[in-house]
Amino acid sequence: MNNYKEKPFEQLRKKDGSHFSEDTIKNWYLARAYVLEFLSGKEKEHLFSPDSNEHFHVVLTGDDSRMLFIARQVALSAHYINFKEECEEEQSHCRTIISIVSKDTNIRQRLSKEEYLCNLPKYCRYVEGDKVDNPNSYIDIELHIVSVPPTKSKHEVILTIKKDDVDNFFNRVLDGDEDIFAIDTRKAFYAGRMYNIGETIDNLPAENIHHTKRYTMALNVYQYERLTEKPQRLFDIPIEEGKQYKLKETLSNVFCSDCFESRANIIKGLNSTNLKDVTLLWEKYNEELSKSEHARWVVEKLIMGYRPLDEKEHHKDEELRAQFKSNTKLKKYHNSLKRSDIELAHIDLCSYRDLRRINPNDLKYDSFLMLAIPKILEKVKRQ
């Protein structure tokens, strides 16, 4: 096996500690390969600029387990910089819509299983018949349950994924194909190293998050220290019982880096003057990219079993903020929630608007990561 290809999904466990089935693990890999290739082609045909009013409407023509795995992967991968968290007209949000053709009255319960979408249906805009749940959701994925395939609406780009095509792909892949059943984790490794440059970024103030010149020193440290490191395998050490949160934190870098090529394609599409050095474009669209990354991260966390803080936890958070040495106490409290397999609650699972208010320091990591993407891609390309 390629030394950089790993099998992280085998280590995932359900919340009760039990194993996922071999078929579930296999289907996660298959759905990932299918959807990333499918979206890559469509994204090059439809490069959504920040001011675009279009959005993808992905229609799944079946509701069997394979199609639900496809829905999961679409939700993990289809995030674009023209999503608008706040706007007056519902159509103008530019969410990615996933429509599932189904007559199953228990479809929502099935979708909410841990192997599929888990907590996402509980918090995203969810439309079934005449009922709309979470109509004003801040999440950039929207789920529709329909009895017949929908017709194209204004500003929509319909992408149909047929059950027969999915079945043909799943059936023809041979067991042991490491192009499918293993993941090149080099991009994920370098994304994770971004969090290890210490005070250079930790000491940056939360003001002017998207003023990219603030990150010059951090980028230099990252480029000339972290990016010179030889990538290491991420999932060789078995995860201890009760420490699934550690696995999910590392897996987050995999899901994040899966979207790097999509981000890069958008920037290439915005290069109307054929600049040889597109660094300025990554800087120009840093805010839009960062907002999209937060939206992607929220969906990922909900699918991986995390939840927002509840009312009682938010109240405790506010109490701690008023106390002496509140930063230390807040960090300890937040860690007790997000680093607990029982709780898996995260303070940052909120709208971008609210995040700027309650935890602005975390925003700079998204901004910095978006600036690092072209450097990571170039590094991996050269290896």
Side-chain angles (χ1 to χ4, degrees):
M1 178 184 288
N2 181 318
N3 189 50
Y4 301 125
K5 288 205 168 184
E6 303 187 66
K7 296 176 174 289
F9 294 162
E10 282 81 347
Q11 295 194 50
L12 278 171
R13 301 288 181 265
K14 295 181 181 180
K15 195 166 185 176
D16 64 6
S18 62
H19 291 245
F20 287 99
S21 70
E22 289 185 10
D23 279 346
T24 290
I25 295 167
K26 181 178 178 180
N27 287 332
W28 280 335
Y29 285 111
L30 287 163
R32 175 179 176 272
Y34 184 94
V35 169
L36 290 180
E37 182 178 354
F38 177 84
L39 286 180
S40 177
K42 302 303 181 183
E43 288 166 352
K44 291 171 184 175
E45 297 172 14
H46 306 279
L47 292 166
F48 300 139
S49 64
D51 58 355
S52 171
N53 289 322
E54 290 189 315
H55 63 272
F56 283 148
H57 185 159
V58 183
V59 180
L60 308 184
T61 65
D63 66 350
D64 67 353
S65 63
R66 287 178 171 178
M67 296 302 273
L68 299 193
F69 285 115
I70 293 290
R72 175 184 185 271
Q73 188 61 51
V74 171
L76 285 169
S77 304
H79 304 275
Y80 305 104
I81 64 174
N82 63 328
F83 168 62
K84 302 172 184 67
E85 187 178 273
E86 297 180 82
C87 55
E88 293 183 4
E89 296 182 10
E90 180 54 45
Q91 197 75 19
S92 299
H93 279 286
C94 295
R95 297 187 185 97
T96 295
I97 298 176
I98 303 173
S99 282
I100 302 173
V101 179
S102 173
K103 295 182 180 179
D104 181 2
T105 56
N106 293 318
I107 184 66
R108 185 166 187 168
Q109 184 178 357
R110 288 174 58 208
L111 280 170
S112 299
K113 289 184 176 180
E114 291 181 72
E115 58 263 45
Y116 300 131
L117 297 180
C118 200
N119 288 332
L120 182 61
K122 185 176 181 179
Y123 296 99
C124 74
R125 191 170 193 268
Y126 186 96
V127 181
E128 187 170 359
D130 295 329
K131 185 180 179 183
V132 180
D133 290 337
N134 310 315
N136 300 311
S137 174
Y138 60 86
I139 294 171
D140 71 338
I141 296 292
E142 182 172 330
L143 296 173
H144 290 199
I145 306 302
V146 295
S147 57
V148 296
T151 56
K152 182 181 181 298
S153 298
K154 187 178 180 182
H155 302 311
E156 284 189 344
V157 177
I158 295 284
L159 306 180
T160 301
I161 297 181
K162 298 179 181 178
K163 172 176 164 46
D164 288 347
D165 292 340
V166 171
D167 285 341
N168 287 336
F169 176 82
F170 279 44
N171 290 337
R172 75 169 181 261
V173 174
L174 299 176
D175 290 343
D177 184 345
E178 73 170 32
D179 287 335
I180 304 295
F181 297 112
I183 298 174
D184 186 332
T185 57
R186 287 177 294 171
K187 290 182 292 185
F189 169 79
Y190 288 122
R193 298 303 285 161
M194 182 204 74
Y195 297 98
N196 298 103
I197 60 174
E199 295 179 354
T200 311
I201 191 169
D202 290 342
N203 289 342
L204 286 175
E207 292 76 18
N208 299 317
I209 288 291
H210 304 297
H211 193 287
T212 56
K213 300 304 180 187
R214 301 165 72 248
Y215 300 100
T216 300
M217 184 180 295
L219 275 171
N220 284 337
V221 171
Y222 182 72
Q223 184 173 2
Y224 298 113
E225 292 186 17
R226 298 296 175 258
L227 273 181
T228 59
E229 298 175 16
K230 182 179 179 179
Q232 300 172 17
R233 294 172 63 82
L234 302 176
F235 300 100
D236 279 351
I237 300 176
I239 298 298
E240 299 175 39
E241 185 177 348
K243 297 291 180 67
Q244 278 285 298
Y245 71 86
K246 287 187 174 182
L247 175 65
K248 293 178 180 182
E249 287 175 352
T250 306
L251 263 177
S252 186
N253 292 320
V254 173
F255 295 130
C256 172
S257 62
D258 274 348
C259 294
F260 283 1
E261 295 289 350
S262 174
R263 309 290 193 199
N265 286 335
I266 289 171
I267 296 300
K268 290 176 185 176
L270 294 170
N271 188 10
S272 58
T273 57
N274 295 316
L275 291 171
K276 290 185 179 180
D277 183 0
V278 297
T279 301
L280 293 176
L281 291 175
W282 287 94
E283 293 178 359
K284 178 179 180 180
Y285 297 108
N286 182 260
E287 181 171 359
E288 291 86 355
L289 287 162
S290 300
K291 288 180 176 179
S292 178
E293 172 56 21
H294 176 66
R296 183 211 63 78
W297 178 89
V298 166
V299 171
E300 171 216 310
K301 281 291 179 275
L302 292 172
I303 289 175
M304 296 306 290
Y306 289 77
R307 62 171 176 81
L309 269 60
D310 60 27
E311 186 176 347
K312 183 178 180 180
E313 290 161 345
H314 272 298
H315 182 69
K316 176 72 176 292
D317 177 83
E318 292 295 331
E319 283 186 337
L320 291 175
R321 289 176 188 274
Q323 295 179 15
F324 179 64
K325 293 186 177 181
S326 62
N327 286 342
T328 301
K329 295 176 181 178
L330 279 171
K331 184 175 182 179
K332 184 177 180 180
Y333 179 58
H334 294 162
N335 285 344
S336 73
L337 295 174
K338 69 182 182 180
R339 294 178 177 172
S340 162
D341 286 355
I342 302 300
E343 299 297 341
L344 287 181
H346 206 299
I347 184 69
D348 291 352
L349 278 171
C350 61
S351 68
Y352 191 86
R353 178 195 64 246
D354 285 345
L355 188 58
R356 292 196 73 141
R357 175 177 57 83
I358 63 175
N359 211 12
N361 276 315
D362 283 2
L363 294 174
K364 60 192 175 188
Y365 291 98
D366 286 341
S367 291
F368 180 62
L369 177 59
M370 295 301 102
L371 294 173
I373 286 176
K375 301 182 186 302
I376 294 173
L377 290 176
E378 182 61 30
K379 174 68 176 183
V380 172
K381 182 180 179 182
R382 292 197 308 266
Q383 288 175 344

